[in-house]
Amino acid sequence: MSASLVPTDLVSGPSPETTTDSQNQLQITDLAEVLQLLRRHGYSGVSYHTLSLYLGLFPNTIRVIEADHRGDTERCLSECFTKWLGKADDVQKKGGPTIYSLVSALRRIGGENGVADGIDMEKHPACKILACHSAQQSVIAAALPQLVIVLYLTKLIKEMILPTNVQGENLLIQIKEAVCNDYQKLEAFAVILCKVKATIEIGNSLLKEYSEVFCSDDLVVMNDDNGLKIYLPQSMTAQFTTMRLKFGQTFLKVEKCIKEKSPAHKDIKNILSYYSEDLESQIAHCEST
């Protein structure tokens, strides 16, 4: 294959979105499992050449393998993945030998989305949940620049970048990688989306699906006055209980203070009116004695 036939995005340098922690990388001993995974989800191996390029192997490396095993697609596939797992050529620059890199490459070569989705569903259900919201990707991406700080603090992105210097699409790529590497990051991302008006429904939907898959026995459903359902982790109920107790204790303290030294009725009325306009009509009928 001549250099001119190599896709231009295959020869680009490393990007922060494609680096992956070594602890998530596959080893050469995982070769049989990786090949079985591909077969299990219907990968024929015919496109191994293009797939290997997207995984980071050099054209010459693939040519040598093809020359040694001419006409044997299965053996060529096996040898290419051996090189991939061995981190040959530019494999590390393409994200290293990880399931995330494999799924990404399968999607990019075209015609293998079914294989990619199957692997994603088996190995990374969190990725599948996020992928199901691809139709809303533009809405999510538009909201992300204003969330750079919290995304960085929750380790959903790798760098702190000024909102004016970053595009939401690039942030979303990093978030998808973070979710792929750690499914719990999906919950963190959903909670963050719930803080933005434009994405609160998406966040709640992600949180619900996450809870159903990863903690079906750990789900709390809350309803507001408009019938909107809000899905929260069970662990948060303890925090709400503590807040309610503190709130109740505050009222007890206020009651005690009033009994010990009662303020003027006028002051009490003003405070209650300031607290809630809905009380004004009732306060107006209160006796001042």
Side-chain angles (χ1 to χ4, degrees), residues 32-166:
E33 183 179 348
V34 171
L35 294 175
Q36 289 174 2
L37 181 67
L38 287 165
R39 294 191 191 99
R40 192 157 59 245
H41 293 284
Y43 182 63
S44 66
V46 174
S47 59
Y48 74 85
H49 191 122
T50 306
L51 177 61
S52 298
L53 289 173
Y54 276 107
L55 288 172
L57 296 187
F58 292 155
N60 190 57
T61 299
I62 304 171
R63 280 199 295 267
V64 171
I65 291 173
E66 290 175 332
D68 291 341
H69 308 285
R70 192 174 303 278
D72 190 342
T73 300
E74 187 171 344
R75 184 62 186 275
C76 288
L77 175 66
S78 177
E79 292 299 322
C80 284
F81 270 88
T82 298
K83 291 290 186 182
W84 178 62
L85 291 170
K87 305 175 186 177
D89 303 337
D90 272 349
V91 169
Q92 284 293 81
K93 292 181 179 180
K94 296 298 178 181
T98 67
I99 294 296
Y100 176 80
S101 298
L102 176 58
V103 169
S104 297
L106 284 166
R107 288 199 170 113
R108 293 172 71 189
I109 64 177
E112 302 294 353
N113 285 336
V115 179
D117 288 344
I119 294 175
D120 236 357
M121 192 60 182
E122 177 181 337
K123 293 295 184 179
H124 296 140
C127 294
K128 182 66 175 179
I129 292 172
L130 195 54
C132 288
H133 291 267
S134 59
Q136 301 161 307
Q137 183 169 311
S138 60
V139 177
I140 297 174
L144 293 181
Q146 63 182 298
L147 299 170
V148 166
I149 295 177
V150 68
L151 290 172
Y152 176 75
L153 292 176
T154 51
K155 298 182 179 180
L156 281 161
I157 60 174
K158 296 182 177 69
E159 294 180 294
M160 176 75 77
I161 309 172
L162 291 176
T164 54
N165 298 329
V166 67

Side-chain angles (χ1 to χ4, degrees), residues 260-286:
E260 291 179 353
K261 187 177 181 180
S262 180
H265 285 83
K266 181 180 179 181
D267 292 337
I268 295 177
K269 286 184 177 182
N270 289 337
I271 292 173
L272 291 175
S273 298
Y274 178 78
Y275 172 74
S276 175
E277 294 181 356
D278 296 335
L279 296 175
E280 287 185 0
S281 59
Q282 300 177 47
I283 293 172
H285 293 87
C286 290

Side-chain angles (χ1 to χ4, degrees), residues 171-225:
L171 292 174
L172 191 55
I173 290 173
Q174 295 187 56
I175 291 167
K176 288 179 178 179
E177 181 181 349
V179 169
C180 193
N181 289 333
D182 180 1
Y183 74 91
Q184 293 178 320
K185 288 289 190 288
L186 178 61
E187 181 183 23
F189 183 47
V191 171
I192 291 171
L193 290 179
C194 287
K195 297 178 180 179
V196 180
K197 185 177 181 180
T199 57
I200 187 170
E201 290 188 12
I202 301 173
N204 272 316
S205 179
L206 287 173
L207 203 53
K208 176 188 176 184
E209 293 172 50
Y210 174 89
S211 299
E212 289 175 346
V213 173
F214 296 104
C215 47
S216 57
D217 296 329
D218 190 30
L219 180 65
V220 177
V221 182
M222 301 182 67
N223 296 281
D224 69 358
D225 295 336

Side-chain angles (χ1 to χ4, degrees), residues 232-258:
L232 298 172
Q234 184 74 35
S235 58
M236 292 187 68
T237 59
Q239 298 178 36
F240 283 123
T241 299
T242 301
M243 291 169 63
R244 284 196 295 268
L245 288 173
K246 290 182 178 179
F247 195 58
Q249 290 172 354
T250 300
F251 272 98
L252 290 175
K253 291 178 180 179
V254 170
E255 181 182 4
K256 183 178 180 181
C257 290
I258 291 176

